[in-house]
Amino acid sequence: MNLKQLHPDEPWLWRAQWAAGELHSSAKPGALAVSALALLWNLIALPAVVPTLLAHDLRREPEFVPFTIFPLIAVVLIGAALHLILRWRVYGASCFQMKAVPGQIGGTLAGSIHVERGLRPMRRVMLKLTCINRTGSAKTIWSDEAEVAVDDACAIPVALLIPSECRPTDDTNSGDSIFWQLGARASGGLVNYKSNFEVPIFRIAETAAQAADADDLRVLRDQRVSAFRPQGSAISVGLTGDGHTRIHFRAFRDPSVIFALLGFLAIWSGLTYLVFREHAPLIFKIMWPGFEAIFLIWGISMMFGSTSVLVGNGELSVTRRLFGIPVSTRRVPSSDVHDVRSITGMTAGSTAYRRIQVRYGSGGQLNFGDGIRDPIEADWIAAKIVAALGLASAVIRQKTVA
């Protein structure tokens, strides 16, 4: 009898590693796979391409320049294989021992990561818990990070809060599945440490001990929010001359995302050019420029768009500007606001950014400030608005809108 038959109502026990509470990760499988791909590529692609490149003068025959991509890919594959082999040799295998199975929605994911070798006590490690929705492609719908230190036993402690609104692990529908990934990475040494574990996260009743652990983590998080002090942030918080609270989200807040978008836009523009040059069907001539216009508008708004929030005189106002020129202003009476929180906003890669949400009246919502990378900073900004509005009972914990 298999695990699914033994535990029909406990899907977190359907996999042997989950049932044992010990999840394993190693760079070895990836190193072997990439090495095999690099070997195959070099055996097949290079013998066919290199003689062609050597037989032509690329300066006089530029039509052969695109063929140089094949040896470049070979170099990249070899480099990636060597990197993974080195990581495997330096750190060996990793094992995440869960404190309780499964991790609880509205509770915690706790345990410790044990690395075979290569990690010393006090080394800083960044943990990242990510919820991913697979619907043909993989989309991050929630993520959170925490920096911890390797303990005296050379283990990485794990204790992360999971909001109650998150979706649990669910692979019953291959077209709309949810899975959770715990990642750990540490810079330094001969090669960076990195490991990933697919973890079971479900909505179950907590034990008294688990509830107490979650409460302790919430207190610690609230303390981190209260003690947060922005350094080099693209978001400024302060008081105006008449004592009103002003929060300004400046333009060009996240260069890495903007440059990635511009790179994507450049590739898309090249495809648009080919669509017209090669006389593609009319539908492509309509769709490609249309999507390019959407990406272009998004890029312009990220580069040159700013948002200002002002709390005072009995109202909360949000003004959005483009090139410094006001394009819209929303005003909400302070007496109508009943909730301020940070929620999941845009996503880029495996990172879910935060934005601020103000709830007012009977179902009204006002969202602004998308693109806050640090969830602690997002909660801190929400707390500042709460204080300015006098909403001592408002909920400011991070939420997900997936």
Side-chain angles (χ1 to χ4, degrees):
M1 184 175 292
N2 60 32
L3 291 173
K4 189 171 183 178
Q5 293 172 324
L6 286 172
H7 308 280
D9 300 320
E10 298 172 306
W12 52 90
L13 299 179
W14 291 356
R15 303 185 191 182
Q17 288 192 23
W18 288 2
E22 295 187 353
L23 315 182
H24 299 276
S25 174
S26 173
K28 181 179 179 180
L32 295 176
V34 176
S35 297
L37 180 59
L39 179 61
L40 183 64
W41 184 270
N42 282 275
L43 288 176
I44 296 176
L46 294 189
V49 174
V50 171
T52 301
L53 292 175
L54 294 177
H56 296 85
D57 186 347
L58 300 184
R59 291 174 297 181
R60 296 181 178 180
E61 299 174 284
E63 63 270 21
F64 290 96
V65 170
F67 286 89
T68 59
I69 190 66
F70 292 94
L72 289 176
I73 293 175
V75 172
V76 171
L77 288 174
I78 292 172
L82 291 175
H83 181 79
L84 290 173
I85 290 171
L86 187 58
R87 179 184 293 162
W88 169 41
R89 296 296 297 172
V90 171
Y91 298 107
S94 299
C95 176
F96 174 41
Q97 295 182 345
M98 300 182 66
K99 184 176 180 179
V101 179
Q104 304 93 36
I105 297 290
T108 65
L109 174 70
S112 57
I113 299 174
H114 300 266
V115 184
E116 190 173 347
R117 54 183 175 268
L119 284 186
R120 296 181 178 275
M122 301 307 295
R123 186 169 174 183
R124 307 304 295 179
V125 179
M126 183 62 73
L127 299 176
K128 185 170 188 176
L129 182 60
T130 307
C131 180
I132 301 170
N133 184 202
R134 284 178 176 159
T135 55
S137 60
K139 178 186 177 183
T140 297
I141 57 175
W142 180 87
S143 69
D144 198 11
E145 296 183 352
E147 188 178 53
V148 299
V150 178
D151 63 23
D152 293 337
C154 296
I156 304 169
V158 176
L160 297 166
L161 276 172
I162 304 171
S164 58
E165 289 78 13
C166 284
R167 294 173 61 180
T169 299
D170 184 3
D171 61 0
T172 55
N173 180 0
S174 60
D176 185 13
S177 61
I178 297 291
F179 74 96
W180 287 76
Q181 180 174 275
L182 171 66
R185 68 181 189 277
S187 302
L190 186 60
V191 64
N192 294 342
Y193 168 75
K194 184 178 181 181
S195 61
N196 290 299
F197 308 88
E198 186 177 346
V199 292
I201 305 294
F202 287 87
R203 194 181 303 277
I204 65 169
E206 295 177 303
T207 65
Q210 290 170 343
D213 287 344
D215 287 339
D216 289 342
L217 277 181
R218 292 188 185 98
V219 170
L220 290 174
R221 187 182 185 90
D222 289 343
Q223 291 174 350
R224 290 177 61 196
V225 171
S226 299
F228 178 82
R229 295 296 181 269
Q231 296 181 351
S233 175
I235 306 168
S236 60
V237 179
L239 297 176
T240 63
D242 50 5
H244 298 166
T245 298
R246 182 178 184 271
I247 303 171
H248 181 66
F249 301 83
R250 69 170 173 81
F252 210 84
R253 292 202 306 278
D254 197 324
S256 61
V257 175
I258 292 173
F259 288 137
L261 177 60
L262 291 177
F264 177 81
L265 184 59
I267 296 173
W268 195 274
S269 297
L271 293 174
T272 302
Y273 169 75
L274 291 176
V275 164
F276 282 89
R277 194 191 73 173
E278 299 300 325
H279 304 291
L282 179 61
I283 184 65
F284 291 98
K285 292 182 179 179
I286 296 174
M287 290 176 55
W288 247 256
F291 281 114
E292 182 171 1
I294 294 174
F295 294 136
L296 183 60
I297 293 171
W298 184 24
I300 290 174
S301 66
M302 292 185 66
M303 288 188 291
F304 305 108
S306 62
T307 301
S308 294
V309 181
L310 191 64
V311 183
N313 282 339
E315 70 174 16
L316 178 147
S317 66
V318 178
T319 301
R320 293 179 171 86
R321 293 178 172 85
L322 189 62
F323 300 103
I325 303 172
V327 295
S328 69
T329 298
R330 290 278 303 277
R331 293 182 173 87
V332 178
S334 299
S335 58
D336 285 356
V337 178
H338 54 77
D339 191 17
V340 182
R341 62 185 69 195
S342 70
I343 64 172
T344 299
M346 71 175 188
T347 61
S350 63
T351 299
Y353 291 81
R354 301 291 195 269
R355 61 185 175 188
I356 306 301
Q357 182 178 87
V358 174
R359 298 186 177 186
Y360 62 92
S362 56
Q365 295 181 0
L366 179 58
N367 300 314
F368 54 86
D370 206 350
I372 308 172
R373 187 181 188 91
D374 185 352
I376 298 298
E377 182 177 18
D379 282 357
W380 179 76
I381 292 170
K384 289 295 184 181
I385 298 175
V386 164
L389 292 169
L391 303 176
S393 62
V395 178
I396 62 170
R397 300 191 190 281
Q398 56 174 314
K399 298 284 185 177
T400 177
V401 293

